Amino acid sequence: MPVSASAIYFLNLRGDVLINRLYRDDVGGNMVDAFRVHIMQTKELGTCPVRQIGGCSFFYMRISNVYIVIVVSSNANVACAFKFVVEAVSLFKSYFGGAFDEDAIRNNFVLIYELLDEIMDFGYPQNLSPEILKLYITQEGVRSPFSSKPTDRPVPNATLQVTGAVGWRREGLVYKKNEVFLDIVESVNLLMSSKGSVLRCDVTGKVLMKCFLSGMPDLKLGLNDKIGLEKESQLKSRPTKSGKTIELDDVTFHQCVNLTRFNSEKTVSFVPPDGEFELMKYRITEGVNLPFKVLPTIKELGRTRMEVNVKVKSVFGAKMFALGVVIKIPVPKQTAKTNFQVTSGRAKYNAAIDCLVWKIRKFPGQTEPTLSAEVELISTMAEKKSWTKPPIQMEFQVPMFTASGLRVRFLKVWEKSGYNTVEWVRYITKAGSYEIRC
């Protein structure tokens, strides 16, 4: 169920009430006193953001030097409550020029009361979009001298924006050059054994868009998704001629996506918000194309010497390259001296993290640079204990490569005025948790 807040309080660090709003009469006015005595004046303030006192629950969060406390008297959705707080703070910052602290609240208490009446009704969250609320709450907040100047201009027809089906985009937008930028950004999570076998591997990805389009355009995105291609071939009554297909797991969409059309036709159709937004998120667990293979060899020569040999092979195409590659090779804490030989990039010993750090600024595809190092250890009188070898970690970014194999088949833009659109598509693969056991 959605959160049904009985009251919301804004407190400073001393526990003084800056602003409060009661939405229901099922809690008393002394709830804030219970919060001060049982939570703020004890050592349990930072232990758990949810506390139950008597028959009421307190959800609280600290933003800058302000505590925001939501009081509920019944079973409520905690995640929804904290999501409401985060969105409300973002709304206040958009009115106050990016600042949200005790001074901003004291200088804008009239505006905050007006906003609190709009964003929550009888304890249930309502519309928290700054673009929509600024259409009919046009009062400007008192801004900090260091804040940026407002850039949002209210447009007419606020009622249509609030009650219409496209509440995330306002009408009347005009651009001299209509452009769409689409980025597919993926993070590879890998755990590999010392012999090169994959123990765990998955890819989490995001489709990020930046739209500068006039009017109310309707966009249609096609991917090489297996289910989508099969549905498309059924609707067209002919087999698909696409190449590799992938299966997307755990897909979540932005609210602008037409879910009814996606469920029936498996196509991503949407009227985009203006500017930058995240269109969808997904995860892939099968058929992952690893950008790198790491083959480590670490030999302990007695108690005072080690030999480290690491070969890193780039699996992607020869015309591609990775940027900012960092390989962290763990060594024992009693390391005293190291000597390196690398065929590409630079390496050094970082005593703060007990690792040999190998950096390659530009890593071409289909190459196999190697690192060889001699490590001298400090001999101790204590009984030797076996060294538990932590995994090798990698950081990288590979432009125009997707570990999942996801590709954009088409991106169509339709608008009743029929203007021409320039589409830009980019692929980026990054390292999430990329670890190789030694």
Side-chain angles (χ1 to χ4, degrees), residues 8-21 29 31-33 35-36 40 66-67 102 105-106 113:
I8 183 169
Y9 293 91
F10 294 77
L11 311 176
N12 60 17
L13 299 182
R14 297 186 302 272
D16 302 329
V17 179
L18 304 175
I19 283 181
N20 71 294
R21 180 70 170 84
M31 286 294 102
V32 67
D33 297 329
F35 180 79
R36 289 197 200 98
M40 293 196 70
V66 177
Y67 282 103
E102 183 177 352
I105 292 177
R106 293 185 184 277
Y113 274 122

Side-chain angles (χ1 to χ4, degrees), residues 76-130:
N77 190 321
V78 179
C80 181
F82 287 122
K83 178 67 174 177
F84 170 81
V85 172
V86 172
E87 294 293 336
V89 171
S90 299
L91 173 65
F92 296 149
K93 286 182 178 180
S94 68
Y95 273 93
F96 307 156
F100 182 81
D101 50 23
E102 183 177 352
D103 293 334
I105 292 177
R106 293 185 184 277
N107 293 333
N108 297 277
F109 68 93
V110 175
L111 176 58
I112 293 177
Y113 274 122
E114 186 175 0
L115 291 172
L116 289 176
D117 287 337
E118 295 293 337
I119 63 179
M120 183 168 280
D121 183 21
F122 197 60
Y124 295 101
Q126 306 297 310
N127 197 334
L128 287 97
S129 172

Side-chain angles (χ1 to χ4, degrees), residues 135-263:
L135 296 178
Y136 56 95
I137 301 181
T138 58
Q139 177 183 347
E140 293 186 4
V142 178
R143 295 172 175 265
S144 167
F146 303 102
S147 63
S148 59
K149 295 182 179 180
T151 57
D152 296 328
R153 295 182 179 179
V155 297
N157 203 1
T159 305
L160 178 61
Q161 293 294 321
V162 176
T163 60
V166 190
W168 53 87
R169 183 182 180 90
R170 66 189 186 189
E171 293 183 339
L173 294 173
V174 178
Y175 289 97
K176 292 183 179 180
K177 185 177 181 181
N178 295 283
E179 295 179 295
V180 178
F181 299 87
L182 188 147
D183 290 342
I184 295 181
V185 182
E186 295 187 343
S187 297
V188 184
N189 304 305
L190 170 72
L191 179 60
M192 182 179 291
S193 69
S194 58
K195 296 181 180 180
S197 60
V198 177
L199 303 178
R200 185 187 71 247
C201 185
D202 68 88
V203 174
T204 57
K206 298 179 181 180
V207 178
L208 306 177
M209 297 197 68
K210 188 182 293 184
C211 295
F212 303 104
L213 300 174
S214 305
M216 297 292 286
D218 188 4
L219 276 65
K220 186 176 180 181
L221 175 64
L223 304 171
N224 59 335
D225 177 28
K226 181 177 180 181
I227 299 178
L229 289 173
E230 290 177 353
K231 190 68 176 181
E232 181 178 333
S233 63
Q234 293 175 4
L235 294 175
K236 294 182 178 180
S237 300
R238 63 173 181 264
T240 179
K241 297 181 180 180
S242 61
K244 179 183 177 181
T245 60
I246 62 173
E247 295 186 14
L248 300 177
D249 301 326
D250 303 331
V251 182
T252 58
F253 293 105
H254 188 274
Q255 62 173 337
C256 67
V257 175
N258 188 333
L259 296 180
T260 303
R261 191 170 182 180
F262 178 79
N263 292 331

Side-chain angles (χ1 to χ4, degrees), residues 303 334 378-386:
R303 300 180 59 181
Q334 63 269 28
I378 300 174
S379 179
T380 60
M381 298 300 295
E383 182 180 355
K384 181 183 177 182
K385 296 181 180 179
S386 60

